[in-house]
Amino acid sequence: RKWKIRNYRYTKLKNSDNQKIWHYFSLSKFLALLSSSSLYMCRQDKFDDSFEGALTQKDEAFFESKSAGVTKGMRRDALGCTYSNRWTRSDVDEYALWSSYASLKDGVAVQSTVLRLITALDPDDKRAVYVSNVQYIDYETDYSFQLTKGIANMIAPHFSKRPYFKSEKELRAMYWDTDGRYSSTPEGLLFKVDLNELIEFVYVAPFSMPQYRDIIEDLIMKYGLGKEVIKSGI
């Protein structure tokens, strides 16, 4: 099932609106969030996972049975026009994610919820943003279409990853520029958000110096955000 919230489509896949989600930032990227009041969505062919946006073997067989040769170039063309902003579903911040995506000494994490993420997006922006959990599947034996309840939907592969990444518990917001062309699309796009709506709490890195929390607190106040800043308890 899908819920359309304003102009955003939210696939509810085993998570609730109040599920806590986290995004981990280097200090420079956190400053970019504050100064732009925007989420940065990266073009998906720039992600590290070589299977990003790939069809499974069963997906390919399904499409080829409908139209021979249709899968040739399909993934490349789609990846060049799809953009994602990635979050982690968890009730607490996690050591491995601080280490991988921010910094244990001077990183910053934003804690939000699924509903906050959806409602923070600018309602005047008519670009359709899809929000869903990522599903972790076997690319030899599964369809990606299990995300969309068996309906062959080309959005599903962009919310699919191999089980190796399951520990990331990823939720992503995704935009597909259906008017774009791979040769001319930018590497990233900005989507305006209401930061007061998006952010529930701000956390600073577990091994940061004692005054770092105060520095971040002063910084966000300058941007008009009255949010509690917490030092990670890790």
Side-chain angles (χ1 to χ4, degrees), residues 24-26 93-109 205-207 234:
Y24 296 81
F25 297 86
S26 64
D93 59 320
E94 300 188 17
Y95 181 95
L97 297 176
W98 278 112
S99 181
S100 297
Y101 295 108
S103 164
L104 291 166
K105 292 185 177 180
D106 58 6
V108 180
F207 302 154
I234 293 173

Side-chain angles (χ1 to χ4, degrees), residues 2-3 7 51 57 63 82 93 95 100 106-107 119 124 126 129 148 154 158 166-167 204 211-212 220:
K2 292 180 182 175
W3 282 254
N7 55 312
F51 277 68
Q57 290 182 18
F63 281 113
T82 50
D93 59 320
Y95 181 95
S100 297
D106 58 6
T119 56
D124 294 326
K126 302 308 178 185
V129 174
T148 47
M154 280 311 300
H158 299 281
K166 196 170 184 178
S167 63
V204 296
Q211 61 268 44
Y212 189 58
I220 66 172

Side-chain angles (χ1 to χ4, degrees), residues 8-217:
Y8 309 105
R9 295 177 182 177
Y10 169 38
T11 301
K12 195 161 187 173
L13 183 68
K14 297 181 181 178
N15 62 268
S16 69
D17 291 345
N18 294 321
Q19 168 67 58
K20 290 181 181 180
I21 56 175
W22 301 76
H23 194 98
Y24 296 81
F25 297 86
S26 64
L27 181 56
S28 61
K29 289 183 178 179
F30 183 63
L31 285 168
L33 171 73
L34 295 179
S35 63
S36 67
S37 293
S38 299
L39 290 180
Y40 178 78
M41 291 198 186
C42 181
R43 203 172 71 195
Q44 283 188 270
D45 65 321
K46 296 299 179 181
F47 293 162
D48 292 336
D49 182 10
S50 61
F51 277 68
E52 190 70 47
L55 299 173
T56 69
Q57 290 182 18
K58 284 193 171 183
D59 291 345
E60 289 187 355
F62 172 84
F63 281 113
E64 289 294 325
S65 71
K66 301 299 180 183
S67 178
V70 71
T71 59
K72 186 178 180 180
M74 184 185 289
R75 179 191 179 204
R76 182 204 64 200
D77 294 341
L79 277 180
C81 301
T82 50
Y83 298 83
S84 290
N85 181 267
R86 302 182 289 180
W87 295 73
T88 296
R89 293 174 287 112
S90 178
D91 290 333
V92 296
D93 59 320
E94 300 188 17
Y95 181 95
L97 297 176
W98 278 112
S99 181
S100 297
Y101 295 108
S103 164
L104 291 166
K105 292 185 177 180
D106 58 6
V108 180
V110 165
Q111 185 254 295
S112 186
T113 67
V114 174
L115 185 59
R116 279 180 174 270
L117 171 61
I118 294 167
T119 56
L121 289 160
D122 182 1
D124 294 326
D125 189 335
K126 302 308 178 185
R127 294 174 293 182
V129 174
Y130 294 84
V131 178
S132 177
N133 291 341
V134 166
Q135 60 177 353
Y136 299 94
I137 57 176
D138 188 320
Y139 278 67
E140 294 182 0
T141 62
D142 293 333
Y143 288 104
S144 69
F145 307 142
Q146 64 191 43
L147 174 73
T148 47
K149 310 303 181 187
I151 298 171
N153 187 328
M154 280 311 300
I155 289 175
H158 299 281
F159 288 97
S160 304
K161 297 187 80 168
R162 292 171 293 164
Y164 306 111
F165 300 95
K166 196 170 184 178
S167 63
E168 294 180 351
K169 296 171 288 189
E170 185 180 336
L171 176 138
R172 65 175 52 172
M174 191 272 280
Y175 167 65
W176 192 335
D177 180 6
T178 54
D179 295 323
R181 295 293 180 269
Y182 180 76
S183 60
S184 61
T185 51
E187 292 188 3
L189 296 172
L190 293 176
F191 286 73
K192 283 288 185 183
V193 288
D194 180 339
L195 291 179
N196 272 307
E197 180 62 37
L198 176 68
I199 298 171
E200 189 162 27
F201 298 103
V202 175
Y203 282 70
V204 296
F207 302 154
S208 58
M209 58 185 180
Q211 61 268 44
Y212 189 58
R213 190 197 71 83
D214 295 333
I215 292 170
I216 297 300
E217 190 173 63

